[in-house]
Amino acid sequence: MQVQLVSPERVLYEGEAKMVVVRTLGGGDIAFEDNHAPFLGALADWPARVKFEDGSQDWFAVHGGFVEVSNNKVIILSDLAEPKADIDVERARAAKARAEDLLRANGEDDEALAALQRADVRIEVATSA
C-alpha cells in the first residue's frame, strides 16, 4: 500500500509499506494494512510506525493532525511530525524536565501538559528499537 506522512514543513515519508500504526483521539491505536476499509480520524500526539515487508520499521513523532485511508493509500497529515533521526533526545529530556517543573507548580497548566506529552512522544520515538 502507498503511504504519505506530511507535515506543514515537508513530506517526511512517501512510499510503500506493509502496515501503518497510529493513535486516534479517543479511539486508541489503529493499524492499517493492504485493502483497509476507508477511514478518517483525528490523530493524538503519539508515535506513528511505518512497517515494511522486510520487518523493519520507521518511527515518527506525530503531534496531532489527521489520517485518511482510501484506495489502498494511507495519508497522514500532521500538525507537527518528526522522523526518529531528527529528534534530539537530550533536548526532549530537558523539555520534559521543564514541563514537569511547571506542572509541580500548577498541575492544571494545559501548555505544560501539552509540552510534557510532546516530550514523552519524542523520547519514545528517539529511543525506539
Side-chain angles (χ1 to χ4, degrees):
M1 88 184 141
Q2 286 291 313
V3 178
Q4 283 186 320
L5 196 158
V6 181
S7 74
E9 295 82 30
R10 64 186 169 145
V11 175
L12 285 91
Y13 178 78
E14 187 167 24
E16 293 282 325
K18 179 180 180 181
M19 179 188 295
V20 175
V21 181
V22 296
R23 178 165 289 183
T24 59
L25 289 176
D29 290 354
I30 186 166
F32 305 107
E33 293 185 307
D34 283 341
N35 302 309
H36 194 283
F39 181 87
L40 179 64
L43 294 172
D45 289 355
W46 203 255
R49 290 177 288 150
V50 178
K51 297 183 176 187
F52 305 101
E53 288 291 335
D54 67 1
S56 66
Q57 59 186 348
D58 281 344
W59 288 74
F60 301 88
V62 172
H63 308 285
F66 296 91
V67 60
E68 178 185 10
V69 179
S70 65
N71 299 321
N72 221 28
K73 186 171 188 176
V74 177
I75 301 172
I76 297 170
L77 301 171
S78 179
D79 300 335
L80 172 65
E82 304 156 287
K84 179 179 177 173
D86 288 0
I87 296 172
D88 180 338
V89 72
E90 292 309 315
R91 183 174 172 206
R93 286 184 176 136
K96 178 177 176 147
R98 285 190 304 275
E100 289 172 338
D101 287 344
L102 290 170
L103 288 169
R104 277 192 281 282
N106 177 5
E108 296 181 21
D109 183 335
D110 290 338
E111 287 183 29
L113 286 167
L116 179 60
Q117 178 65 26
R118 286 189 305 272
D120 282 340
V121 169
R122 287 178 175 121
I123 292 166
E124 182 174 345
V125 169
T127 59
S128 64

